[in-house]
């Protein structure tokens, strides 16, 4: 608690305005925890409604519920969000104020430039270092976990068969065969969820380190004849491979795709378009009624036929290209995201005031803009390049 009678940082939680977004940045339990630290919480009326957290619960947790976003933006020192702010919302942020949220730094560097021009100190949750100390602040992981789970449920509902093997008086039903391509956080959760539903699972990832994790979840790791020695960068992420590599991968994976009832693809390389891993020939070879859930849809998709935000049927195969699966499970997705934010906020706050230690690996790592400039080198390079703002393709 504060000792010096100084007012605590005012944190604002606006209602999300992006189309289809049902999550909220802080849930009532998170508000209560921050109020306990001496922070003042302003929550826009209805901010948690779509995630099933009512205004009354926020009031009971110690927040002041504001009738509109304007009051909140005018007063808040720090705004916490799920999705990036719109242009109007950037204009509403106070110069010298703070912002935390998913800010798509590598995909939308121009947003970082606008935040810097507005002199907002912004932290992008995507930039949170993936180190053990920051695990509880890792919102990419918390939301990917929900996405991996949801992907399996969508597939199970779309598939005209059941997942588990059943031996009944009416005959034996064979289990669904699920292939997971990309076994990072979402892929591993998809494996675990499909396994609990009784499917037989195979998985592939270019990072060889993943094999053991896949097998420990009871899935078979698919071995391809590809050289993957340099597949992982120092941060644990996949490196981009050559087009020749992807062509060979497509060819070899095609056989596994054709043998699967469900394919869940999650393969991503940070800052790049998603690698194309399933071509139209492979889709044609699948049995009618098979399902592909393409979690890489927002980055162009791992399947050539995926269309972002659309549920399609092509060559008898259902292809789901939804881009915001965590928002389809808004209550738990918000709860885990809020937990990430609270841990990060507690890291930034001392005596109810913000203390930004720019030497600290976590604070510096997540920092996107500060003092009127873009602090992340990679994003600054992208934002400065003429093609980044003119819609060029590099
Ligand atoms: P991601 O969402 O960027 O990518 C998803 C997966 O796709 C990755 O496993 C990647 O290797 C894989 N992939 C990329 N190209 C592929 C291809 N051509 N074929 C098949 N698979 C391909 O990754 P993520 O899930 O966010 O996790 C990335 C890494 O970060 C993982 O190693 C994870 O264990 C690690 N991580 C560490 C921490 C921590 O230490 N705090 C926390 C979270 C994640």
């Amino acid at each position: 608690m504060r000792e010096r009678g100084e007012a605590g940082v005012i944190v604002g939680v606006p209602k999300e305005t992006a189309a289809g977004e049902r999550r909220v940045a802080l849930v009532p339990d998170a508000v209560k925890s921050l109020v306990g630290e001496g922070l003042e919480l302003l929550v826009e009326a209805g901010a948690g409604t779509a995630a099933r957290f009512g205004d009354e619960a926020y009031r009971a947790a110690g927040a002041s519920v504001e009738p509109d976003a304007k009051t909140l933006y005018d007063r808040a020192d720090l705004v916490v969000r799920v999705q990036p702010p719109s242009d109007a919302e950037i204009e509403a942020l106070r110069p010298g104020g703070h912002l935390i949220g998913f800010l798509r730094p590598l995909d939308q560097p121009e947003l970082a430039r606008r935040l810097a021009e507005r002199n907002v100190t912004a932290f992008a949750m995507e930039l949170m270092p993936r180190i053990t100390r920051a695990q509880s602040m890792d919102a990419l992981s918390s939301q990917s976990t929900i996405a991996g789970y949801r992907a399996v449920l969508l597939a199970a509902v779309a598939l005209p068969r059941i997942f588990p093997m059943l031996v009944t008086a009416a005959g034996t039903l064979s289990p669904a065969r699920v292939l997971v391509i990309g076994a990072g956080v979402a892929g591993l959760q998809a494996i675990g969820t499909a396994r609990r539903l009784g499917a037989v699972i195979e998985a592939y990832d270019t990072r060889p380190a993943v094999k053991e994790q896949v097998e420990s979840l009871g899935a078979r790791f698919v071995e391809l004849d590809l050289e993957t020695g340099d597949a992982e960068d120092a941060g644990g992420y996949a490196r981009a491979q050559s087009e020749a590599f992807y062509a060979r991968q497509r060819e070899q994976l095609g056989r596994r795709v054709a043998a699967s009832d469900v394919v869940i693809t999650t393969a991503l390389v940070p800052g790049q378009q998603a690698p194309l891993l399933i071509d139209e020939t492979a889709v044609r070879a699948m049995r009618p009624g098979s399902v592909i859930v393409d979690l890489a849809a927002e980055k162009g998709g791992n399947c050539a036929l995926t269309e972002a935000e659309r549920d399609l049927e092509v060559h008898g195969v259902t292809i789901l290209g939804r881009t915001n699966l965590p928002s389809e499970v808004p209550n738990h997705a918000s709860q885990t995201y809020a937990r990430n934010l609270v841990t990060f906020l507690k890291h930034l706050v001392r005596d109810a005031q913000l203390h930004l230690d720019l030497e600290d690996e976590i604070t510096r790592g997540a920092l996107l803009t500060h003092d009127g400039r873009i602090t992340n080198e990679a994003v600054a390079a992208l934002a400065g390049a003429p093609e980044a703002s003119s819609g060029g393709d590099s």
Side-chain angles (χ1 to χ4, degrees):
M1 293 292 288
R2 284 168 295 142
E3 287 172 342
R4 286 165 284 148
E6 201 178 1
V9 177
I10 303 179
V11 178
V13 186
K15 189 172 169 166
E16 294 295 315
T17 50
E21 183 55 68
R22 299 168 69 201
R23 289 170 292 175
V24 60
L26 292 179
V27 303
D29 271 355
V31 164
K32 191 171 173 189
S33 164
L34 294 173
V35 168
E37 295 285 316
L39 276 58
E40 187 178 340
L41 269 292
L42 309 179
V43 177
E44 185 180 346
T49 308
R52 309 292 182 195
F53 298 105
D55 291 347
E56 213 31 65
Y58 283 102
R59 274 193 204 97
S64 156
V65 173
E66 303 295 329
D68 55 43
K70 184 174 182 328
T71 326
L72 181 142
Y73 277 104
D74 285 349
R75 288 198 55 218
D77 304 306
L78 165 69
V79 171
V80 289
R81 309 180 52 92
V82 180
Q83 296 282 351
S86 65
D87 287 350
E89 285 161 342
I90 293 176
E91 289 306 307
L93 286 166
R94 278 178 23 202
H98 300 75
L99 171 70
I100 306 179
F102 282 121
L103 300 174
R104 301 169 193 250
L106 295 172
D107 301 323
Q108 296 179 15
E110 68 284 2
L111 180 81
R113 195 176 44 223
R114 286 205 294 277
L115 288 167
E117 282 165 6
R118 185 81 187 153
N119 195 23
V120 168
T121 294
F123 293 93
M125 292 307 276
E126 294 94 333
L127 296 176
M128 185 64 70
R130 289 187 124 173
I131 53 174
T132 309
R133 209 156 59 89
Q135 240 166 8
S136 55
M137 312 175 201
D138 182 354
L140 281 181
S141 286
S142 71
Q143 303 307 291
S144 290
T145 298
I146 304 265
Y149 164 85
R150 182 73 174 174
V152 172
L153 296 195
L154 289 176
V157 168
L159 191 71
R161 302 160 66 92
I162 64 169
F163 266 36
M165 185 179 100
L166 276 193
V167 181
T168 75
T172 299
L173 301 175
S174 55
R177 275 160 299 181
V178 174
L179 171 65
V180 175
I181 304 177
V185 179
L188 291 173
Q189 182 56 230
I191 293 171
T193 305
R195 174 115 169 123
R196 285 193 289 277
L197 285 177
V200 171
I201 305 144
E202 309 189 295
Y204 178 74
D205 196 296
T206 41
R207 292 181 299 117
V210 169
K211 180 173 191 267
E212 211 176 279
Q213 294 166 359
V214 165
E215 289 174 346
S216 74
L217 288 170
R220 192 179 81 83
F221 190 78
V222 175
E223 304 281 357
L224 300 183
D225 180 19
L226 292 168
E227 183 46 64
T228 53
D230 67 344
E232 186 163 329
D233 71 11
Y237 284 107
R239 277 188 216 280
Q241 303 289 337
S242 66
E243 185 37 48
F245 178 101
Y246 290 135
R248 290 186 61 200
Q249 187 179 352
R250 277 195 294 277
E251 192 197 328
Q252 294 183 35
L253 267 183
R255 289 187 279 278
R256 305 314 320 148
V257 170
S260 305
D261 298 300
V262 167
V263 181
I264 294 175
T265 66
T266 77
L268 288 171
V269 177
Q272 313 250 338
Q273 282 297 97
L276 181 57
L277 304 177
I278 301 176
D279 57 19
E280 185 163 1
T281 311
V283 175
R284 264 184 211 280
M286 294 180 84
R287 278 185 298 276
S290 302
V291 180
I292 297 173
V293 183
D294 194 340
L295 290 189
E298 192 177 11
K299 297 282 179 69
N302 291 136
C303 172
L305 304 179
T306 299
E307 287 184 32
E309 299 304 355
R310 292 195 62 193
D311 295 354
L312 303 172
E313 188 175 319
V314 189
H315 307 311
V317 175
T318 301
I319 303 175
L320 306 182
R322 303 187 196 179
T323 61
N324 191 355
L325 294 187
S327 175
E328 297 186 19
V329 194
N331 188 277
H332 266 166
S334 301
Q335 185 182 314
T336 53
Y337 182 64
R339 178 66 67 88
N340 299 141
L341 285 183
V342 166
T343 321
F344 185 38
L345 278 171
K346 286 185 178 173
H347 184 77
L348 299 177
V349 164
R350 210 171 48 234
D351 295 333
Q353 301 301 316
L354 282 167
H355 285 276
L356 304 189
D357 173 6
L358 300 185
E359 300 302 310
D360 174 75
E361 186 180 6
I362 294 174
T363 306
R364 191 187 62 235
L367 191 66
L368 177 63
T369 61
H370 184 57
D371 267 349
R373 57 185 193 90
I374 301 175
T375 50
N376 181 283
E377 271 176 35
V379 181
L382 286 171
E387 56 271 30
S389 54
S390 65
D393 60 2
S394 66

